[in-house]
Amino acid sequence: MGKTIYQEKTRILSKQKLASNFFLLKIASKKIAANSAPGQFVQIRVQDSVVPLLRRPLGVHRIEKNNFEVLFQVVGKATEMLAQKNSGDYLDVIGPLGNGFNLQKRGEIILVAGGMGVAPLVFLAEKLKKSVDPKSKIQKIALIGAKTKTQILCETEFKKSGFEVRVSTDDGSKGAKGYVSDLLKQVLRTTHFALRPNIFACGPRPMLKEIAKLSKEFGIPAQVSLEEHMACGIGACLGCAVETSKGFKRVCKDGPVFQAEEVIW
Amino acid sequence: MKNPDLSVKIGKLKLKNPVMVASGTFGYAEEFSGLVGLHKLGAVVSKTITLKGRPGNTLPRTCETPAGMLNSIGLENPGINKFIKEKLPVLRRAKAPIIVSIASENDPQEFVVLANELEKIRDVAAIELNISCPNVKTQKSLISQDPEATFQVVKAVRKVSTKTLITKLSPNVTDITQIALAAQNAGSDAVSLINTLLGMSIDVKARKPKIASITAGLSGPAIRPIAVRMVWEAFQKIKIPIIGMGGIIDASSALEFFLAGASAVAVGTANFIDPKISNTIIEGIRSYLKENRVSHLEDIVGALKA
């Protein structure tokens, strides 16, 4: 609320291919870099054309000085076009958008990333590293789940931010076999938490639904970042609604981060 | 050449320029503040307001299509009382003329009640009668699909309202000129052409509709040729001003509408892609008039060489 949103022609500084279909873009924007919070996103115009027509929302993945990064998977024509961009190319970007995670500095931290859900959680991990007193030795765990081992991303980034990383894959090619929500259940069952832990999660909706159940079962608060197709991204079109205990809310403007208990799954 | 005159008159309403933002694509304007010069807009048309308010349709509500998008929001709005109390003050901050879009849910008589509520509010510059939303399932057919029903609704509102009335018509009809004539004959000051076209898109892998309500309204550049054609057809038959809309994304596409007979235009879907586009379009129209040595915008209305 009342936060400034910028629309800028931004320059791509670098492109990196992380895995077969995963790309990392570093983009120059002093304003977006200075004003973004973990969990917020940007709306990128992939091309000045009518196909694709709409912008694509991508979570802010990392901030580094005057630049921000986005991490994405090629899933359709628009992301394919974005993956073909190169350093030096310009992108029309609107951001930062939405409400990010509510940073909890007390209590253990459990991050749960499913697939592309790692993207905004790396930003959160890095922010928490800075804001949590390093001497406090609060336990920080990051759970990463993906279909297969080559799609497990950002392990190093989480470790660098002081997180203990555990991995699950659907096919069992790395870490525990199964969903990352199963891994979370196991962690919650077997770990003794001295303080009051907080869960921060991002990933596909079925995964977040499971996390909401676990959050309730174990009495541990969870903040979840929802993914939705969006048109405007600024709260005007009411296209990306989500049903909550307080009626429909806009994923783009009221979210994308919601308390798990408030969403009607 | 000095600056061309972009002002237009629609009913009692005098606009400094002919570019509005279309209902449902601009929220209550506050969402766009900081991204576009709101005060530069010809007018802002609010999201459609109903008597009691509506939660809106189930999800998913939007999807992209080739050069367009489908939407079925279902007229989500807080209802007239909450609108007047909470949203109108926000709209006022835009410092552009406010046009309030209204719709009935079950009984066309609701239009009269709504118009009555707005009658006493001075800074409501005009009322747009949305008799053409394709996404309200309680209605078997649209009012704007029947010339007689259109006539009755407009006439009933005309009786109670001294405000400028704009009737928004649906393209989902055989002959739009019949409906436009009915609106004119009932006392409408202008017509808005066009609302969205009824469309549908399917996820073939899941064999499911991409929109929960199955059918939805198509907007964007994909529908522009149809919109321009309908403006042209209506322009031959009616005398009241036409506000043209449907896939306007730049000055050139806006100019198509003027040449076809529109006195003003509204930018819709393009607001989602580039929030400042309405301002850019105003400047583009100004440049076009200068380059072509046209002193008044109205001189190009219907100036198609055919």
Side-chain angles (χ1 to χ4, degrees):
Chain A
M1 299 297 147
K3 289 175 293 195
T4 310
I5 300 167
Y6 303 94
Q7 179 179 6
E8 289 195 321
K9 280 258 184 269
T10 59
R11 197 160 53 88
I12 298 174
L13 299 173
S14 68
K15 178 176 79 172
Q16 209 182 325
K17 190 174 177 175
L18 296 186
S20 64
N21 260 333
F22 295 82
F23 293 85
L24 180 70
L25 292 181
K26 184 186 278 188
I27 300 168
S29 169
K30 222 174 185 170
K31 286 171 181 165
I32 293 173
N35 292 289
S36 294
Q40 287 192 294
F41 66 97
V42 293
Q43 277 270 66
I44 297 182
R45 183 135 195 226
V46 170
Q47 197 157 296
D48 185 8
S49 67
V50 296
V51 181
L53 184 67
L54 301 170
R55 287 171 185 266
R56 291 296 184 270
L58 290 176
V60 178
H61 172 55
R62 288 187 69 236
I63 296 286
E64 202 187 77
K65 290 176 194 156
N66 295 329
N67 315 315
F68 70 94
E69 292 177 4
V70 289
L71 172 64
F72 64 96
Q73 182 179 13
V74 173
V75 290
K77 280 196 191 106
T79 40
E80 200 178 298
M81 283 176 176
L82 193 58
Q84 280 161 12
K85 301 280 172 189
N86 287 303
S87 58
D89 288 348
Y90 281 83
L91 286 174
D92 186 329
V93 178
I94 299 177
L97 298 166
N99 287 306
F101 292 102
N102 184 6
L103 265 60
Q104 300 290 334
K105 290 164 197 169
R106 289 189 193 127
E108 294 86 352
I109 293 156
I110 309 168
L111 306 185
V112 192
M116 282 318 304
V118 291
L121 293 178
V122 166
F123 186 12
L124 177 66
E126 293 183 349
K127 196 89 176 177
L128 285 168
K129 186 193 176 190
K130 283 183 199 155
S131 64
V132 176
D133 179 5
K135 283 174 284 179
S136 69
K137 290 195 179 146
I138 285 175
Q139 195 175 6
K140 296 192 285 183
I141 307 170
L143 310 178
I144 312 174
K147 283 201 175 92
T148 186
K149 108 179 147 183
T150 51
Q151 297 185 2
I152 294 289
L153 304 171
C154 306
E155 264 181 285
T156 333
E157 283 78 1
F158 286 118
K159 280 178 187 160
K160 272 189 198 158
S161 296
F163 280 75
E164 170 195 340
V165 176
R166 294 197 210 169
V167 167
S168 73
T169 49
D170 298 359
D171 63 2
S173 54
K174 184 170 182 174
K177 186 172 193 274
Y179 293 133
V180 73
S181 48
D182 300 331
L183 186 57
L184 172 66
K185 191 172 188 174
Q186 193 203 326
V187 167
L188 294 178
R189 271 191 184 152
T190 55
T191 315
H192 169 73
F193 296 105
L195 306 161
R196 192 163 179 261
N198 283 285
I199 298 169
F200 301 86
C202 185
R205 204 177 161 101
M207 163 200 148
L208 298 180
K209 185 180 174 178
E210 281 308 307
I211 288 172
K213 271 191 212 161
L214 294 172
S215 158
K216 199 175 172 191
E217 188 184 329
F218 288 86
I220 296 171
Q223 294 177 38
V224 296
S225 179
L226 301 181
E227 270 185 347
E228 255 315 320
H229 285 286
M230 289 176 188
C232 73
I234 57 174
C237 73
L238 311 181
C240 63
V242 56
E243 209 175 350
T244 74
S245 51
K246 292 167 200 146
F248 280 121
K249 285 196 172 184
R250 301 163 294 182
V251 172
C252 70
K253 183 90 178 178
D254 304 312
V257 178
F258 292 91
Q259 293 293 335
E261 70 211 28
E262 135 191 45
V263 177
I264 296 171
W265 303 95
Chain B
M1 178 186 173
K2 63 172 189 170
N3 257 343
D5 182 1
L6 262 68
S7 67
V8 291
K9 218 178 159 219
I10 292 163
K12 292 180 194 166
L13 182 60
K14 188 155 189 211
L15 304 178
K16 61 179 175 287
N17 72 65
V19 180
M20 316 180 178
V21 284
S23 178
T25 67
F26 214 68
Y28 301 98
E30 61 169 340
E31 295 85 352
F32 286 80
S33 64
L35 293 170
V36 59
L38 294 169
H39 62 285
K40 291 180 187 163
L41 296 172
V44 172
V45 188
S46 78
K47 174 91 185 141
T48 296
I49 306 301
T50 56
L51 200 53
K52 286 181 185 155
R54 292 172 54 86
N57 291 343
T58 46
L59 308 166
R61 292 175 172 182
T62 64
C63 78
E64 186 165 333
T65 58
M69 65 174 284
L70 287 169
N71 89 80
S72 178
I73 310 298
L75 299 186
E76 176 175 341
N77 81 92
I80 188 74
N81 291 335
K82 234 178 166 183
F83 167 76
I84 291 171
K85 222 169 38 204
E86 292 170 18
K87 299 294 182 186
L88 203 53
V90 171
L91 265 169
R92 278 186 188 113
R93 277 183 237 145
K95 300 215 175 343
I98 300 165
I99 299 174
V100 179
S101 169
I102 58 173
S104 64
E105 285 186 87
N106 305 302
D107 182 356
Q109 202 52 33
E110 291 162 25
F111 274 103
V112 176
V113 182
L114 288 161
N116 254 326
E117 289 291 331
L118 296 170
E119 180 65 13
K120 47 199 170 188
I121 303 170
R122 241 185 79 198
D123 46 9
V124 171
I127 296 174
E128 183 172 81
L129 306 172
N130 180 4
I131 56 170
S132 49
C133 175
N135 299 321
V136 178
K137 294 289 158 186
T138 49
Q139 295 171 338
K140 278 192 207 124
S141 65
L142 307 175
I143 294 168
S144 64
Q145 284 172 327
D146 177 1
E148 181 56 25
T150 300
F151 182 85
Q152 294 303 341
V153 167
V154 177
K155 198 176 175 198
V157 176
R158 180 76 289 170
K159 260 189 192 165
V160 301
S161 182
T162 59
K163 297 214 183 271
T164 296
L165 294 183
I166 302 161
T167 310
K168 187 163 182 176
L169 306 188
S170 170
N172 304 300
V173 292
T174 314
D175 182 0
I176 195 142
T177 66
Q178 295 297 314
I179 319 288
L181 273 169
Q184 171 182 280
N185 295 341
S188 191
D189 295 297
V191 285
S192 281
L193 299 183
I194 56 176
N195 206 319
T196 54
L197 272 160
L198 200 57
M200 184 170 160
S201 188
I202 298 170
D203 175 347
V204 294
K205 209 171 151 196
R207 298 191 182 186
K208 282 186 170 174
K210 286 192 183 169
I211 306 280
S213 61
I214 305 178
T215 60
L218 181 64
S219 65
I223 71 165
R224 191 196 309 145
I226 298 168
V228 173
R229 184 261 295 177
M230 289 188 159
V231 167
W232 172 243
E233 285 175 346
F235 182 68
Q236 318 296 310
K237 295 274 173 73
I238 61 173
K239 294 191 174 67
I240 53 174
I242 298 166
I243 303 162
M245 64 198 73
I248 294 174
I249 56 163
D250 50 22
S252 161
S253 45
L255 285 159
E256 281 194 60
F257 282 86
F258 293 115
L259 294 169
S263 297
V265 293
V267 178
T269 304
N271 293 314
F272 304 154
I273 303 154
D274 184 358
K276 64 179 185 317
I277 194 67
S278 45
N279 285 177
T280 312
I281 290 173
I282 296 166
E283 287 320 308
I285 294 169
R286 206 188 305 278
S287 305
Y288 174 88
L289 295 181
K290 270 188 189 172
E291 278 161 28
N292 291 278
R293 308 195 141 274
V294 179
S295 52
H296 294 274
L297 173 79
E298 57 196 31
D299 295 342
I300 64 159
V301 172
L304 179 74
K305 293 175 184 167

